[in-house]
Amino acid sequence: MGERIRRMTAREVEALLARHGFALISQKGSHRKWRHPGSTLQVIVPDHGGRQLPLGTLCNILKNAEIPKAAWAGYSN
């Protein structure tokens, strides 16, 4: 069977992005834009009061950031 995806909050995702070299470049409302300085990779992370991100949103952020699944499947902050 497949491995379950761990639910994460925006703060946990942002910590993971920062650990992989992404930098916060702007914010508009509750959405923060993160960009990797060595490439054209960019992701938007919504932060809605500490709630966990929906699984589809979480998977899309991490896929677009090109972070290997092994790096975030068992991630704990």
Side-chain angles (χ1 to χ4, degrees):
M1 285 198 141
E3 213 176 288
R4 286 191 65 139
I5 296 173
R6 183 184 171 282
R7 301 284 302 265
M8 300 168 97
T9 64
R11 290 181 197 265
E12 292 171 322
V13 171
E14 289 173 343
L16 185 60
L17 289 170
R19 208 171 64 185
H20 280 84
F22 283 77
L24 179 64
I25 60 167
S26 69
Q27 178 173 345
K28 188 169 187 177
S30 61
H31 290 71
R32 297 186 185 115
K33 187 184 297 185
W34 290 77
R35 186 175 294 156
H36 194 279
S39 68
T40 60
L41 298 176
Q42 176 177 296
V43 292
I44 308 288
V45 179
D47 186 3
H48 299 291
R51 293 190 318 220
Q52 292 180 337
L53 296 173
L55 286 177
T57 302
L58 175 62
C59 289
N60 194 13
I61 289 169
L62 298 172
K63 182 179 108 183
N64 289 337
E66 296 182 0
I67 295 175
K69 187 174 183 181
W72 57 270
Y75 177 77
S76 76
N77 196 3

